[in-house]
Amino acid sequence: MKKLRRLGGVTAALALALTAAACGDSSPSAPTQPSTVVPELRPDQQVSITFESYNLAQAGPWTDTFTDLINRFQAAHPNIKVTAQKPATATASNYGSSAAASIQRQIAAGNSPDVGQLVFGDLRYAVKGLGATPLDDVVGRDVVQANFGGAHPFAPAARTLGDVDGKTFGVPFVFSTPILYYNASLFTQAGLDPAKPPTTWAEVKTFAQAIKSKTGKDGVYIDCLTKKAGDWCYQSLVYSNGGTVISNDQTRFSFAEAPAVEAVKVAQDLVQSGLSPKISQEQAYPAFGRGEIGMILETSAAEATFRKGATTTNPQWDLRAGLQPSFDGKKVEPTNSGAALLMFAKDPAKQRAAWELIKFLTSDEGYTQITSKIGYLPLRTGLLDDPAGLKDWAAKNPLIKPNIDQLARLHPAASFPGDNYVQIKDTILDAVEKVVYSGADAQSTLTAAQEQATKLLPKG
């Protein structure tokens, strides 16, 4: 059995929204595809596969939507039986971070899932440490690339996010950029124009001050600054202030340099000014849903939860969304959260069945369901203009628009090299938490974390 490399010391806290594309993993000149590919299944060929998805650990629209998608797939492919499961140790609070560790344990036991949903930050480890199967070798690179096309092609910015060393290992699946949700009812009570959300962080502070002073509610919560939130949104703040977290060649960290430090200090100031509460992500979601926070920077995957809160809280309130705010005079560079679908099957028949499932889940039908029922960004963006797709839904759900607008400016988040990638991410976010929520000195705290993270880089 292939020996598995261990996840760098922490198997229960894996990174969110990191992308291999940012590290030069994709290549414009693809390797030559194999001369033979796995044969297609015969119509009467019965195959059973296992699909592991961390979304199945989340109650409500996530589990309901994914269960419905699997049922739809099996109805269209009666010869393929799919057993859908959540990661073994997944809970509602660690669902994304448990995925790679779960697959690692199953592979070690000789019983890996055939298809796994992994966050983008796990991609390099899934390939190098878990032996994910290159899709190009199973069905041929031309077929893989053709799957990104069709009546509603994938957004160009997303197509290579699952590539490593010039091969496609993952098909991007659930996806979002940072959105500024806001309580338009509180805006009105505070004397703010609900049709004009803040567009800069300086304006966010001004709006938050008005909300706090006029309504007594908390002004804003930035869900980018803790280990639970992951570092995908944190990186977006850094990039949008002209900074970076690691050099392009992945040999030197840069999150203690001035632009990155200044981005964190903006968040620290909101907390120290009493405009942003010192609460966890688990506390912030229901608090915003109850109308107790004026604004929250968050993934679009939270839209269904926030909408439910807005429509069931007494009194009801008006949920709206805007673009990620900018730092004065600088261009917003949004990163992405979410995950890709990877193949771990080794048996040829299971590989073909797994490919059919991956295709279906990322098809027009798949994205119509996950967008309309959960709020994730449809990577087949043409569906939003198709009367048979999501056009009617989009007209009734304008909160999707900021996400679409930001997709064109996507900056893939940097992924960290080596088996210690989880520890590196945690080291950074531990320091960020200390600065923002405990008032630690930003420069010295981040410099110390950068020195510690440097020791975790691969040697040589």
Side-chain angles (χ1 to χ4, degrees):
M1 180 185 298
K2 180 180 177 180
K3 184 177 180 181
L4 297 175
R5 293 185 294 169
R6 288 183 57 82
L7 285 156
V10 182
T11 60
L14 301 171
L16 282 173
L18 306 174
T19 60
C23 308
D25 289 325
S26 59
S27 171
S29 55
T32 303
Q33 68 183 58
S35 56
T36 59
V37 296
V38 174
E40 294 186 13
L41 296 176
R42 302 186 310 275
D44 62 344
Q45 188 173 1
Q46 299 296 314
V47 181
S48 296
I49 58 173
T50 301
F51 168 49
E52 182 156 303
S53 167
Y54 63 74
N55 280 120
L56 291 168
Q58 298 171 279
W62 292 274
T63 296
D64 293 345
T65 301
F66 275 63
T67 300
D68 179 56
L69 283 170
I70 295 302
N71 290 337
R72 288 168 180 258
F73 172 77
Q74 291 185 138
H77 300 80
N79 61 321
I80 301 176
K81 175 178 173 51
V82 179
T83 299
Q85 63 189 32
K86 67 180 182 180
T89 58
T91 66
S93 62
N94 76 344
Y95 56 90
S97 63
S98 64
S102 173
I103 291 175
Q104 179 194 41
R105 287 191 292 271
Q106 292 176 78
I107 291 176
N111 188 34
S112 71
D114 300 295
V115 178
Q117 179 186 349
L118 295 176
V119 296
F120 287 105
D122 296 337
L123 181 62
R124 287 185 65 83
Y125 180 77
V127 172
K128 306 295 184 181
L130 301 181
T133 303
L135 301 177
D136 295 350
D137 293 356
V138 174
V139 297
R141 183 167 181 81
D142 291 344
V143 173
V144 173
Q145 294 305 307
N147 182 60
F148 289 122
H152 304 108
F154 260 62
R159 295 187 183 195
T160 60
L161 293 179
D163 287 8
V164 176
D165 297 334
K167 286 188 176 184
T168 300
F169 285 83
V171 178
F173 184 36
V174 294
F175 199 92
S176 179
T177 60
I179 302 300
L180 185 70
Y181 290 100
Y182 64 97
N183 185 326
S185 301
L186 283 182
F187 273 37
T188 299
Q189 294 173 34
L192 302 168
D193 186 346
K196 296 180 179 179
T199 59
T200 68
W201 286 109
E203 290 180 351
V204 167
K205 183 175 182 179
T206 299
F207 278 49
Q209 288 171 328
I211 291 168
K212 187 75 171 181
S213 63
K214 299 290 181 60
T215 72
K217 306 294 186 181
D218 287 311
V220 62
Y221 184 81
I222 304 174
D223 192 22
C224 298
L225 308 168
T226 65
K227 286 191 292 185
K228 169 58 181 151
D231 65 342
W232 71 280
C233 183
Y234 155 75
Q235 289 197 33
S236 186
L237 294 179
V238 172
Y239 291 136
S240 297
N241 199 38
T244 59
V245 293
I246 193 171
S247 61
N248 288 335
D249 63 5
Q250 295 193 302
T251 62
R252 182 181 64 83
F253 288 111
S254 50
F255 61 86
E257 295 179 0
V261 173
E262 288 301 319
V264 174
K265 289 174 70 175
V266 167
Q268 181 190 52
D269 176 61
L270 290 171
V271 173
Q272 292 184 334
S273 300
L275 303 175
S276 181
K278 294 182 180 181
I279 57 177
S280 66
Q281 183 189 69
E282 290 87 350
Q283 294 169 314
Y285 269 45
F288 184 70
R290 291 190 300 266
E292 297 172 1
I293 303 175
M295 298 170 281
I296 184 169
L297 190 70
E298 188 51 270
T299 169
S300 67
E303 180 184 334
T305 299
F306 294 157
R307 190 189 311 117
K308 181 179 179 180
T311 56
T312 59
T313 297
N314 186 15
Q316 295 184 3
W317 55 274
D318 184 5
L319 174 67
R320 301 191 192 181
L323 299 170
Q324 176 183 328
S326 68
F327 295 90
D328 290 338
K330 297 176 182 176
K331 181 180 66 174
V332 174
E333 297 192 30
T335 53
N336 61 282
S337 69
L341 299 176
L342 284 82
M343 184 185 297
F344 295 93
K346 303 304 178 187
D347 173 79
K350 290 181 179 290
Q351 287 179 334
R352 265 295 173 178
W355 171 245
E356 293 300 326
L357 178 62
I358 291 172
K359 283 199 303 179
F360 176 81
L361 292 174
T362 58
S363 67
D364 290 358
E365 183 174 358
Y367 276 118
T368 296
Q369 297 302 312
I370 66 171
T371 297
S372 62
K373 295 181 179 178
I374 300 177
Y376 280 117
L377 180 67
L379 293 181
R380 297 187 183 275
T381 53
L383 287 166
L384 296 169
D385 298 316
D386 185 349
L390 290 166
K391 185 174 182 178
D392 290 343
W393 176 88
K396 299 174 183 176
N397 294 270
L399 274 61
I400 193 68
K401 189 177 187 304
N403 226 342
I404 296 297
D405 292 344
Q406 291 184 158
L407 181 58
R409 304 195 305 275
L410 184 71
H411 186 138
S415 60
F416 303 122
D419 294 346
N420 295 321
Y421 74 106
V422 175
Q423 286 178 283
I424 290 171
K425 184 265 299 182
D426 286 348
T427 296
I428 296 172
L429 293 179
D430 274 337
V432 171
E433 285 188 52
K434 290 177 183 177
V435 172
V436 175
Y437 294 108
S438 299
D441 178 73
Q443 185 64 69
S444 61
T445 302
L446 291 168
T447 297
Q450 185 164 286
E451 293 172 354
Q452 182 179 353
T454 299
K455 298 175 183 178
L456 298 172
L457 285 171
K459 306 301 180 184

